[in-house]
Amino acid sequence: MVRRVVVALLGPVAWAPPGVDSARWRAALAEDTVDLLAMLAEVDTAVAVTPADRALADAVTWPDMAVYEVPEPTPGAVFAALTGYDQAAVIAADAPDLPGLTIGKLLRPLTSRPVAVAPAEGGGPGLLGIAARLPVPHWLPPVDLDRTLPSTVRAAAPRPGDLAVTPAWRRQRGPADVAMLDPAVEGWEATRALLSGAGHPG
């Protein structure tokens, strides 16, 4: 039985909508992402934070959810902290309406490829998440979810086919991303409530 874990990386959030407190915005995004993970089947779920953000993790996690403290908010640090797993995915914690199916598509290629990435929607820099067989391959370069492009990871691979690129999804990093949130879609309750309270549609 292949043991898999999906980890939400509660890294820094560089932008918040006008009129919304940045700390509350970050916490709402994290809460909705964690709630999504809690609904996933056939995988373990966890969050990862730097020691300075342990209070945030404690505030948003479910009682049986593991919390990993890492020295830096990067997928590499998360992968290094994991033990006992065959496969792992690390996702950004600013995609509150992320469908569970998108996470499944990120993990699925690991049956035949060592690494998969899901781009952040919009074509700019950054990834929604990265998944890898553990231990991670030696060729995997340092990955920053806010800056790394799929092409950078592919260029480091011995063969282009060693990397799978799975469907993209939007992260909440600017006004256009907030406008794409669909009020008709279930979930993202904390983010929805915070936006509504600040006078934003949602």
Side-chain angles (χ1 to χ4, degrees):
M1 185 71 178
V2 175
R3 291 202 65 199
R4 302 180 180 91
V5 62
V6 179
V7 184
L9 179 56
L10 308 188
V13 172
W15 176 86
V20 177
D21 176 77
S22 59
R24 293 182 64 201
W25 173 245
R26 184 186 185 197
L29 295 175
E31 181 178 343
D32 285 338
T33 303
V34 167
D35 286 351
L36 163 72
L37 294 194
M39 300 297 108
L40 298 178
E42 300 180 1
V43 296
D44 290 344
T45 56
V47 301
V49 290
T50 61
D53 285 327
R54 179 63 194 237
L56 173 62
D58 291 341
V60 301
T61 49
W62 290 51
D64 59 347
M65 189 172 282
V67 177
Y68 293 94
E69 289 192 10
V70 292
E72 58 182 8
T74 64
V78 177
F79 289 140
L82 298 173
T83 57
Y85 290 102
D86 305 298
Q87 301 175 359
V90 179
I91 63 167
D94 57 4
D97 61 340
L98 176 66
L101 186 62
T102 300
I103 299 175
K105 289 179 178 178
L106 180 60
L107 285 165
R108 191 170 302 132
L110 299 184
T111 57
S112 58
R113 307 187 193 192
V115 179
V117 296
E121 198 170 83
L127 303 171
L128 166 71
I130 178 170
R133 296 178 192 165
L134 300 179
V136 297
H138 65 87
W139 54 262
L140 185 66
V143 171
D144 182 329
L145 291 180
D146 291 332
R147 296 179 178 85
T148 299
L149 291 166
S151 58
T152 303
V153 183
R154 175 164 281 139
R159 297 173 298 276
D162 286 338
L163 177 73
V165 179
T166 65
W169 192 260
R170 57 185 170 269
R171 295 173 56 187
Q172 293 300 309
R173 300 194 289 178
D177 302 309
V178 173
M180 291 295 290
L181 287 168
D182 186 351
V185 175
E186 292 185 3
W188 60 283
E189 305 297 343
T191 303
R192 189 194 311 261
L194 190 58
L195 288 172
S196 298
H200 296 264

